[in-house]
Amino acid sequence: MLRKLNSSPSIRHFLAHNRKKIRTLAHPFDQTSRFPLFSPLNSPKIQSTERGFTDISMANQESASSSSQGHKYTNRLATEHSPYLFQHAHNPVNWYPWGEEAFKEARKRDVPIFLSIGYSTCHWCHVMEVESFENEDIAKLLNDWFVSIKVDREERPDVDKVYMTYVQALYGRGGWPLSAFLSPDLKPLMGGTYFPPEDKFGRPGFKTVLRKVKDAWDSKRDVLIQSGTFAIEQLSEAMSVKAESYKISEGITQSALHKCAKQLAASYDSQYGGFGTYPKFPRPVEVQLMLYQSKRLEEAGKSGEAKEYLDMVLFTLQCMARGGIHDHVGGGFHRYSVDECWHVPHFEKMLYDQGQLANAYLDVFSITKDVLYSCVARDILDYIRRDMIGPNGEIYSAEDADSAETENASGKKEGAFYVWTSSEVEDIVESHADLLKEHYYIKSSGNCDLSSSSDPHNEFSSKNVLIERNSTSALASKLGISQEQYLEILGECRRKLFAIRSKRPRPHLDDKVIVAWNGLTISAFARASKVLKGEPNGTKFYFPVDGANPSDYMGAARKAATFIRKKLYNDQMRRLEHSYRNGPSKAPGFLDDYAFLIQGLLDVYECGGEVSWLAWAVELQDTQDELFLDKEGGGYYNTAGDDPSVLLRVKEDHDGAEPSGNSVSVINLVRLANMVTGDKSDQYKRTAEHLLAVFEKRLKDAAVAVPLMCCAADMLSVPSRKQVVLVGSKLLPEFENMLAAAHASYEPNKTVIHIDPADMEEMDFWETNNADIALMGKNAFVSGKVVGLVCQNFTCSSPVTNPSDLEALLLEKLVRAA
């Protein structure tokens, strides 16, 4: 499905001053030739017949020569690693990957470039491929008049950012597939998203677009090039803001946090949960903001307002867990819901959603101690372990929304893998069919009828997307059985559905490994290893939750981090690569790769990992500062700026489906500054302060667009962050229990440090980076015990050696702090 993006605040500010001028320059055609954004989300239903595309989730990609066997066409994409590019390797379009060979060819032929950007699990990207890129007539137009380049946005987010920003600047929104026309020197000439092959609904078809661009290039080239140059110049200025001072103005951090929470609360859907209307995207940064503000209000004695915000989060996460956006049979969450009630989803599953949502449910469990939330966190992480992890611990990127209904089907349909007919359910679960049908609102006519937006084109007639609409306790009582018996029956029914579903043709797996998304997921696995130790003894789990020992999740975190260290990190250069599939991609690591991985490594360390993970995080932060930091203007650019083919170097601020690298970096810097001392600690704080000064106007005027940055700004302003220091041998059984106690409560302004004075590697690290911790390790050590201390405002509590005492001490200090 085409993913619609609204423009970020910085782009909207730019639009207010320059859109008219850019659009006038960008379209030197008559009115009938202009190319409004064609979005399937806002247009009449477009019918298309999709065919199965090559699934290359094999261990080793075939060579170009062998892959061409049995195909009429083979182009340069046959040698690429990206699953998305390889899917187009046998189009009649003479595709090039992004690179100098394509640019040189465009200059040599003196023709414009057609740039198509998408990703392997994008529904409307597949539609445009079938309708246009497999059409020999359209391919001939592209081959004769243009040099065509195909880009995987997940592999080259830097390239995507340039031209998506341009399209957003023209139309106020954008999405994928992204279709752009460039000059041979890569300046944008015109752009849009999906185009149907022929004119329809009063909008130009792709053939018309190609002819109009060709005519304009031949007759009005100078104006086109002028427009592209102007657009890039103006966008570059708008997207690389600089700070006017080295610190953010007094009071803005608190006001931004308050304003953002108020704006989110005003958009809260009290009937179905979530913030805003349909389509509903999980945006975990909103949950983080509301939980953080609730905590701060509680500390300030405003318990009533704090509870209101917390209740919004609880209800939202409950509705999501009950809804069809949640895969009740296999675990994990789909990308978004097309309706307001979280029922009918767009069925793709993205890794970056899974890690962030798992963390959100873990946070709420640590506040409420309700196993409903811990089980959903487990459900997500168990899905990842079952379906998304490679043989060496690497975590894959995504699963497609589309799949074939049968093995011999010629096409694919969205959601085919996940939906059920009533008769299928009856055949599979037999005697429990009535129970399951009532529990998941399964009907013979299909259940996608809860909203007019759920299935407006009747695509899911007679099909059911599982959704829970009644309470488990009420349904169990109705049947006269205990709730435990009821849950056991449900779990066994889900297991049977899973077994049958596993025999269906699977959605395409994008087995590309992206460092940034692995970082987000490593964080969740690491935190789960300790937070879930707070589940009551005897807690029962039901399929698809595995009921694993929480320590197993730390193993997954370490394996994923180890894979990145071995395969995607150059120890000598101290640099990351962005992604991996049968080898590292051609793209270097970007800001998000560094920032999100550092976050994950800090969580691995704080939750019990070796000090080597913390040392690597410090090393990565040094490299991040070297490559991306604007030392004079403040803030981090998204790229290192050493690739001349990437025309925009952006300082991203928007916290959307993924948080911005700048927001995560502030939190990383605050955490690191509280682990080390001296000049390094001071430098971390200065860098964070300067960064926030860059985005002061955004925090002041558009706080709702940067919820995580609002939290980060407040974290930096907190006078004294708590430190929980554990001293003792990590081989002692009590070490894990003390760590679990340290992580038992929700406290975002807390740092956990552990030190074993007998471990020379640890002592060397702390003596170099924080002599106070090294001294504390020596002085507080008690043989055969793990000693815990809570430090704040340059004083430490009396030592404790019992996990319950440590938990009580933390709660006591929280009360005092309030």
Side-chain angles (χ1 to χ4, degrees), residues 483-556:
Q483 187 167 332
E484 183 177 324
Q485 285 178 291
Y486 186 87
L487 291 173
E488 286 176 352
I489 293 169
L490 270 184
E492 188 55 37
C493 288
R494 287 194 297 263
R495 188 186 300 277
K496 291 178 179 178
L497 291 179
F498 180 85
I500 296 300
R501 197 178 80 172
S502 298
K503 298 176 183 178
R504 294 175 176 176
R506 288 197 67 88
H508 163 71
L509 170 69
D510 186 334
D511 56 356
K512 181 168 68 273
V513 179
I514 297 174
V515 171
W517 300 358
N518 270 246
L520 293 172
T521 312
I522 287 167
S523 168
F525 273 121
R527 294 188 64 240
S529 73
K530 296 301 171 289
V531 174
L532 294 179
K533 285 184 177 290
E535 291 171 322
N537 290 332
T539 298
K540 291 194 173 182
F541 304 103
Y542 307 96
F543 190 87
V545 175
D546 290 342
N549 187 313
S551 299
D552 292 346
Y553 295 128
M554 178 59 85

Side-chain angles (χ1 to χ4, degrees), residues 657-689:
E658 300 173 60
S660 80
N662 274 294
S663 296
V664 173
S665 291
V666 174
I667 297 173
N668 291 342
L669 290 165
V670 169
R671 295 173 72 178
L672 287 167
N674 282 273
M675 288 185 171
V676 303
T677 55
D679 292 343
K680 206 169 189 67
S681 178
D682 294 341
Q683 183 58 50
Y684 288 147
K685 292 176 184 175
R686 286 195 297 269
T687 299
E689 289 168 349

Side-chain angles (χ1 to χ4, degrees), residues 321-350:
R322 293 198 298 263
I325 192 173
H326 177 208
D327 181 0
H328 295 273
V329 172
F333 280 81
H334 298 296
R335 183 64 197 92
Y336 62 85
S337 168
V338 302
D339 52 44
E340 67 274 21
C341 45
W342 303 104
H343 183 201
V344 180
H346 172 43
F347 287 90
E348 75 181 314
K349 290 181 175 179
M350 306 301 296

Side-chain angles (χ1 to χ4, degrees), residues 740-761:
H743 290 281
S745 59
Y746 173 75
E747 176 48 75
N749 286 305
K750 173 182 68 185
T751 299
V752 177
I753 293 172
H754 41 86
I755 180 169
D756 180 356
D759 188 318
M760 290 301 101
E761 181 183 4

Side-chain angles (χ1 to χ4, degrees), residues 72-200:
K72 185 176 179 180
Y73 301 99
T74 298
N75 56 53
R76 289 168 178 80
L77 302 185
T79 60
E80 291 296 305
H81 288 182
S82 159
Y84 177 63
L85 299 190
F86 198 78
Q87 285 166 7
H88 294 77
H90 303 295
N91 296 161
V93 179
N94 185 23
W95 291 114
Y96 286 77
W98 182 266
E100 185 56 36
E101 183 185 10
F103 312 151
K104 185 178 179 181
E105 181 68 13
R107 293 192 297 267
K108 175 184 173 184
R109 290 174 53 195
D110 194 27
V111 296
I113 290 168
F114 169 63
L115 174 65
S116 175
I117 302 178
Y119 56 103
S120 75
T121 58
C122 164
H123 173 76
W124 283 97
C125 300
H126 304 333
V127 173
M128 193 165 179
E129 179 192 9
V130 172
E131 292 180 337
S132 293
F133 303 147
E134 291 187 345
N135 183 306
E136 293 184 350
D137 292 336
I138 291 177
K140 187 175 190 312
L141 299 182
L142 284 168
N143 296 340
D144 288 348
W145 295 343
F146 303 92
V147 169
S148 298
I149 297 178
K150 179 63 74 171
V151 166
D152 181 344
R153 70 162 297 259
E154 295 170 357
E155 190 174 65
R156 291 304 302 259
D158 54 338
V159 175
D160 176 63
K161 185 68 180 178
V162 174
Y163 301 105
M164 182 60 74
T165 300
Y166 170 77
V167 168
Q168 289 176 315
L170 261 72
Y171 302 109
R173 54 188 174 84
W176 297 280
L178 181 68
S179 303
F181 295 88
L182 322 178
S183 64
D185 65 351
L186 308 180
K187 300 297 194 303
L189 308 176
M190 170 265 166
T193 55
Y194 163 84
F195 290 102
E198 307 290 347
D199 299 352
K200 58 174 66 178

Side-chain angles (χ1 to χ4, degrees), residues 393 395 518 522 555-567 597 600-601 604 613 616:
I395 310 176
N518 270 246
I522 287 167
R558 283 190 174 110
K559 284 183 178 179
T562 299
F563 179 89
I564 293 171
R565 178 106 201 199
K566 288 182 177 179
K567 301 292 186 179
L597 179 58
L601 295 175
V604 169
W613 299 117
W616 190 25

